[in-house]
Amino acid sequence: MNLGDILSPGFLMDLGGRLGRIATIGVITWVACHFFGILVDRFFTPEPGAKKFYLEEKRARTLSALLKTILRYTVYFIATVMLLQEFKIDTTSIIAGAGIIGLAVGVGAQSLVKDFITGFFIILEDQYAVGDYIVSGEMSGTVEEVGFRITKLRDANGVLHILPNSSISRVSNFTRGYMQAVINIPVAYEANLSKVFNLLEAAGQEVAAMPEVLDGPKVIGVVDLRPGEVVVRVIAKTVPLEQTKVEAAFRHKIKLLFDKDQIPTPVPASLCNPAKLIRQEGKE
């Protein structure tokens, strides 16, 4: 191509049109990225007075950043293909190659993709968050980190467990809502149950003052008849993960009250078996 061809009106018009289309593609790309960014922000950050939104701020930021990244790179890919077409470069092979590469990556990284998808829904559905105590399969502990690929749990012994999100199929969350303290109190058959219930009510009134108690304690009544003992149950709603503390406090209080009022101690089950009792007396 000589200088005359370059300076010809047809070439200059074609060049001007091409530069104009390239500039238009650049402007549309910028506008699309900006528009999708605003759209995502509007979705994850509703206006004041709008219907209540159930995503926490931290999870909303994480999801909005992820969606913005996905949309931005999608727009970039489309813009790149359009720009290559302006330079007369065949993009059919590029698109086909991208599809093949995507398929290969998808097949070779199925577990990785599954981890990300599961992690996305864990965060979206708020199944658990940092600080929650959960049980999943044989693993249990306090959540220290929730990511799109892994979840980190710290168990009672201080061991850090790193779980791929795809392996988390069922979760029991111990820190949502309330927990229930269940206290089974064994008493002897010869004990006065009316007096026992009164003592349990008295102990419950004192334990109810604990900040860990949300409701109760309530005396359910006799729940089991065992050899040598009658089992009376008391329940209470507690702050998550504080039910053990409430149970211990109630048992301590009722022990003091039972000793003070001389409530009979249950007979050991082994002494209630006549055969064992005869054998034990024979040995003596």
Side-chain angles (χ1 to χ4, degrees):
M1 182 178 293
N2 54 38
L3 183 60
D5 294 332
I6 295 175
L7 297 177
S8 64
F11 180 83
L12 291 177
M13 289 182 62
D14 181 66
L15 179 62
R18 184 174 298 177
L19 291 175
R21 289 192 294 272
I22 291 174
T24 302
I25 292 172
V27 172
I28 293 176
T29 300
W30 181 85
V31 171
C33 290
H34 189 65
F35 170 76
F36 285 128
I38 294 176
L39 190 65
V40 171
D41 287 337
R42 285 285 184 89
F43 179 77
F44 286 100
T45 310
E47 297 179 357
K51 187 178 179 180
K52 186 177 179 181
F53 196 60
Y54 290 95
L55 280 179
E56 295 177 356
E57 182 180 356
K58 184 177 179 181
R59 292 193 302 119
R61 288 200 306 267
T62 303
L63 290 174
S64 64
L66 176 66
L67 289 179
K68 284 180 182 179
T69 301
I70 294 174
L71 292 172
R72 184 170 64 250
Y73 281 111
T74 301
V75 172
Y76 287 166
F77 178 77
I78 296 173
T80 301
V81 172
M82 295 176 67
L83 288 174
L84 292 176
Q85 289 176 344
E86 289 297 325
F87 290 98
K88 308 300 181 181
I89 298 176
D90 185 14
T91 57
T92 305
S93 58
I94 296 176
I95 296 175
I100 294 172
I101 293 173
L103 180 62
V105 170
V107 173
Q110 289 183 6
S111 60
L112 183 63
V113 173
K114 189 176 179 181
D115 288 340
F116 273 91
I117 294 175
T118 306
F120 177 84
F121 282 105
I122 286 173
I123 297 174
L124 180 65
E125 297 170 356
D126 195 21
Q127 297 179 17
Y128 52 82
V130 174
D132 289 355
Y133 185 88
I134 67 170
V135 174
S136 178
E138 298 180 354
M139 296 295 180
S140 63
T142 302
V143 179
E144 288 199 349
E145 182 180 332
V146 183
F148 281 103
R149 195 180 70 83
I150 61 171
T151 294
K152 295 182 179 180
L153 292 182
R154 181 82 64 177
D155 66 16
N157 296 321
V159 179
L160 181 65
H161 301 281
I162 301 175
L163 308 178
N165 288 331
S166 59
S167 67
I168 302 175
S169 58
R170 181 179 298 177
V171 176
S172 299
N173 196 323
F174 286 73
T175 50
R176 298 295 173 89
Y178 65 88
M179 295 296 291
Q180 185 158 279
V182 179
I183 308 105
N184 290 328
I185 307 296
V187 296
Y189 275 94
E190 55 271 22
N192 187 327
L193 286 181
S194 297
K195 190 173 184 180
V196 168
F197 289 161
N198 291 334
L199 294 176
L200 293 175
E201 293 288 352
Q205 291 176 4
E206 295 190 27
V207 174
M210 296 176 62
E212 294 82 4
V213 178
L214 300 177
D215 185 32
K218 297 178 181 179
V219 179
I220 300 300
V222 177
V223 295
D224 197 5
L225 299 174
R226 300 173 182 172
E229 63 184 22
V230 176
V231 180
V232 181
R233 178 168 296 172
V234 179
I235 62 171
K237 290 183 180 180
T238 72
V239 173
L241 301 181
E242 297 295 338
Q243 67 274 14
T244 303
K245 182 177 180 181
V246 173
E247 292 172 1
F250 190 92
R251 290 191 181 97
H252 177 75
K253 185 61 184 177
I254 201 62
K255 173 65 167 60
L256 297 178
L257 293 177
F258 277 13
D259 290 345
K260 181 179 179 181
D261 285 63
Q262 298 180 347
I263 301 299
T265 303
V267 179
S270 60
L271 298 181
C272 297
N273 188 325
K276 289 185 178 180
L277 185 59
I278 293 172
R279 286 197 299 267
Q280 193 172 25
E281 290 176 350
K283 290 179 181 179
E284 293 177 352

